[in-house]
Amino acid sequence: MNEAGQVAFWGAAALFGIGFWVSVAPVIRAFADRIRGHASGDLEARIAALEARSPITGETDAVHQRVLELEERLDFTERLLAQARPPEGVRPKGTER
């Protein structure tokens, strides 16, 4: 290998190393913050902000309760229809008054 080839090889190796560390640095920084405990306070603040932004929490419970009541009414109606009583004015054949 001649001198120009060696310079090119070491230049490429240096660029690869710099690129690698630049791309991995945010991940290493995030792990370091997590070990120090800085991320847990940030996470709690983000969760509180999400909960404050969602005003429909109580509405969801009310809708769920209403759906349960409607299911009970539907079950009751199905049981009444399943009894299959003939109407009072209609008599089966062969029965006389």
Side-chain angles (χ1 to χ4, degrees):
M1 194 189 274
N2 60 12
E3 190 174 321
Q6 288 181 353
V7 170
F9 172 77
W10 288 111
L15 287 176
F16 175 77
I18 291 170
F20 174 77
W21 286 111
V22 166
S23 64
V24 175
V27 175
I28 294 172
R29 200 171 296 121
F31 280 131
D33 287 343
R34 185 172 220 161
I35 290 170
R36 279 188 238 132
H38 292 352
S40 63
D42 182 41
L43 180 61
E44 290 171 1
R46 289 172 57 193
I47 290 173
L50 284 174
E51 288 175 348
R53 194 172 58 169
S54 175
I56 61 170
T57 305
E59 293 176 19
T60 306
D61 294 336
V63 170
H64 181 69
Q65 184 63 32
R66 184 154 185 204
V67 168
L68 289 176
E69 290 174 6
L70 289 172
E71 286 177 349
E72 288 178 12
R73 289 181 182 182
L74 180 64
D75 289 342
F76 178 74
T77 306
E78 287 175 345
R79 278 188 258 121
L80 281 179
L81 291 173
Q83 289 178 359
R85 287 183 271 163
E88 290 181 21
V90 178
R91 290 193 184 122
K93 273 188 172 180
T95 60
E96 295 180 16
R97 244 189 209 198

